[in-house]
């Protein structure tokens, strides 16, 4: 069911919210974004995002912007589009009298109809009282992605000597007592049953009262139609606003050139506007020269040059035919890495590669080259979600949870524009450093935690020191860039080109870029800071600041900190960043491999810059 006048940013539907997420709205309204089957586009063509590489990577026919509200006079066809939602949770209570009521996914927010005064007026009739009830705070979440209302009736009537009758039993909710924990939340039924929430979050509490996951998927309108494979003890009671109720799984892509750098802007514009239609009208596999000649004459450009531009575009797109859902993320990024390592240009992308000898000799041994990226386009697509823990699943499995059938062959996405700096490390120097016994011993402690954690459960091989170094360096440089060029750290992101455990592709770089989609999207400050005479000071400043943390010596001597001990010397005072910046949830970081430790200062890759 669609609800009007509840605004939400389109980019927020990729994260932090999306299909299956509970979105809090004013006036204590709680709604869940419905599945893609319910999303309506009267004419989807204006919403399509053109990104051939990412579309093939995700195995769909289209990527679309989420629908936005449009006035009739602006776009009569796509006017008054809304994001569909369902109401969840369905248990509500009155904050004044405690009366509880259960609705359905599609009803409006209920009003309290309890009689409170001798005059016979309802609780909601009194002016100073709120008119609507409040959704229940507690819900049940399953690791398989299912979500359900907390079984209030079963909980309060368990082992009470009373039987719940929906037609006669009325449950009231109350809070009180000196304690602020769950023992202060009570449910009481008119039949005499009464129980607090004490113990509801303990392992096995729901199984004890006879509750088992019923495979509820409110965003699809499904309940009890599947068999849940999760263990009963793994089903948990959470607050509906808890951060582990919903984790977005998004995939992103940097748009790379598919045209010749020498092609003029006018011809590129013609190719962009007409390529799909002309490519679909091939005769015996050949492009139709007649139509291309007509377009050349109409726009006053050379027909042969225009034809060659169409041919180049078609040939470059054919190179992406090996992209599929089963390829790894590193394999997908290899093409981006190769483009960023040299100078390239197109309508949506521009990279200017500078050999490291163009910069100060102080940084020559650490990098092979630095590329300035004045223009880039990033596409971010929402492919699915998980609950309780952010797990890794194949894209094909993720997509199944977003729709009822296979009719909707598209995914919601957004595109943002920005700028960046690409650092390509000296691979020979990096490999020599990583082979050092001291470095290996340092990373072994992090590697053990990596294999114990769910974060690395599906990976084989040991964690590479090169990855930890590049990842930590990107965090340190982002912090320094936010000081030097004025960007907020939350608007700068990292994109790492380095394999975590293998070295099959030979990538060793990182792209630091801003692509926030708002006023901080691209102001030129980041690229300017990457120029000769500036980036050297930024790198040296980042390294020097990393030598000492306000939590030292505790931080630098740590043997494991952060979620599941997936960091060594990295805390909020030195290397951690806002969630929007990091690809790994602020995990796999260690200042020790960058600047060395107190006991072994020679351990750091950038040890020569520490005394500059």
């Amino acid at each position: 069911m669609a609800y009007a006048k509840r605004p939400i940013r389109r980019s927020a539907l990729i994260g932090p919210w999306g299909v299956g997420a509970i979105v809090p709205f004013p006036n204590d309204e709680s709604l869940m974004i419905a599945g893609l089957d319910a999303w309506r586009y009267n004419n989807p063509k204006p919403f399509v995002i053109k990104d051939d590489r990412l579309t093939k990577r995700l195995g769909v026919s289209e990527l679309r912007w989420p629908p936005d509200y449009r006035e009739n006079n602006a776009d009569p066809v796509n006017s008054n589009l809304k994001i569909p939602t369902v109401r969840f949770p369905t248990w509500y209570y009155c904050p004044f009298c405690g009366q509880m009521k259960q609705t359905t996914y599609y009803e409006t927010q209920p009003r309290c109809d309890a009689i409170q005064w001798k005059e016979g007026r309802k609780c909601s009739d009194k002016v100073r009282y709120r008119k609507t009830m409040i959704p229940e705070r507690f819900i049940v979440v399953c690791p398989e992605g299912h979500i359900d209302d907390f079984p209030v009736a079963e909980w309060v009537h368990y082992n009470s000597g009373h039987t719940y009758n929906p037609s006669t039993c009325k449950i009231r909710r109350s809070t009180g007592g000196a304690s602020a924990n769950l023992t202060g939340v009570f449910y009481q039924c008119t039949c005499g049953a009464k129980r607090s929430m004490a113990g509801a979050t303990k392992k096995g509490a729901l199984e004890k009262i006879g509750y088992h996951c019923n495979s509820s998927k409110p965003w699809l309108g499904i309940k009890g139609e599947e068999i849940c494979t999760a263990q009963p003890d793994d089903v948990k009671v959470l607050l509906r606003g808890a951060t582990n109720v919903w984790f977005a799984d998004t995939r992103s892509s940097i748009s790379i050139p598919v045209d010749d750098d020498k092609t003029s802007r006018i011809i590129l514009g013609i190719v962009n506007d007409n390529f799909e239609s002309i490519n679909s009208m091939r005769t015996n596999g050949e492009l139709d020269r007649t139509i291309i000649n007509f377009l050349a004459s109409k726009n006053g450009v050379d027909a042969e040059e225009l034809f060659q531009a169409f041919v180049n575009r078609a040939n470059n797109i054919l190179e992406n035919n090996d992209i599929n859902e089963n390829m790894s993320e590193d394999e997908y990024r290899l093409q981006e890495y190769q483009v960023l390592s040299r100078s390239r240009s197109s309508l949506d992308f521009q990279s200017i590669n500078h050999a490291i000898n163009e910069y100060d000799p102080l940084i020559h041994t650490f990098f092979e080259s630095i590329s300035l990226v004045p223009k880039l386009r990033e596409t971010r697509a929402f492919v699915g979600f998980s609950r309780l823990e952010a797990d890794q699943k194949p894209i094909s499995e993720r997509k199944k949870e977003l729709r009822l059938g296979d009719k909707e062959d598209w995914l919601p996405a957004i595109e943002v524009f920005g700028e960046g700096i690409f650092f390509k490390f000296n691979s020979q120097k990096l490999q020599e450093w990583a082979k050092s016994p001291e470095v290996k011993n340092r990373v072994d402690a992090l590697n053990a935690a990596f294999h114990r954690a769910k974060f690395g459960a599906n990976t084989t091989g040991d964690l590479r020191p090169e990855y930890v170094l590049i990842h930590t360096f990107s965090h340190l440089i982002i912090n320094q860039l936010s000081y030097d060029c004025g960007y907020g750290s939350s608007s700068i992101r990292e994109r790492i080109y380095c394999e975590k455990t293998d070295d099959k592709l030979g990538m060793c770089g990182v792209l630091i870029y801003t692509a926030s989609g708002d006023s901080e999207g691209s102001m030129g400050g980041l690229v300017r800071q990457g120029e000769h005479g500036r980036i050297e000071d930024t790198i040296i400043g980042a390294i020097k600041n990393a030598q000492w943390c306000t939590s030292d010596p505790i931080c630098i001597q740590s043997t494991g900190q952060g979620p599941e001990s997936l960091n060594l010397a990295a805390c909020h005072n030195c290397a951690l960043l806002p969630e929007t910046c990091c690809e790994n949830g602020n995990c796999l970081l260690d200042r020790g491999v960058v600047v060395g430790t107190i006991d072994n200062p020679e351990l750091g890759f950038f040890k020569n810059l520490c005394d500059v």
Side-chain angles (χ1 to χ4, degrees), residues 114-166:
I115 306 299
Q116 292 296 302
W117 294 278
K118 295 180 180 179
E119 307 92 79
R121 289 192 296 175
K122 295 180 181 179
C123 181
S124 59
D125 289 340
K126 201 159 186 181
V127 176
R128 73 171 181 268
Y129 282 5
R130 67 169 63 241
K131 295 182 179 181
T132 55
M133 303 176 80
I134 295 177
E136 177 55 74
R137 294 168 54 200
F138 304 103
I139 58 174
V140 177
V141 176
C142 167
E144 293 298 316
H146 307 130
I147 189 169
D148 197 10
D149 289 278
F150 177 74
V152 176
E154 292 86 344
W155 179 261
V156 71
H157 287 87
Y158 172 73
N159 207 22
S160 66
H162 301 275
T163 303
Y164 177 66
N165 186 341

Side-chain angles (χ1 to χ4, degrees), residues 263-264 266-268 270-271 289 291-310:
T263 306
S264 69
I266 297 176
I267 289 181
L268 285 178
I270 299 172
V271 173
R289 275 184 173 270
I291 300 177
I292 296 176
N293 291 339
F294 170 77
L295 290 173
S297 176
K298 180 182 177 181
N299 293 276
V301 297
D302 183 72
E304 186 60 32
E305 188 177 354
L306 181 61
F307 175 76
Q308 192 59 46
F310 275 103

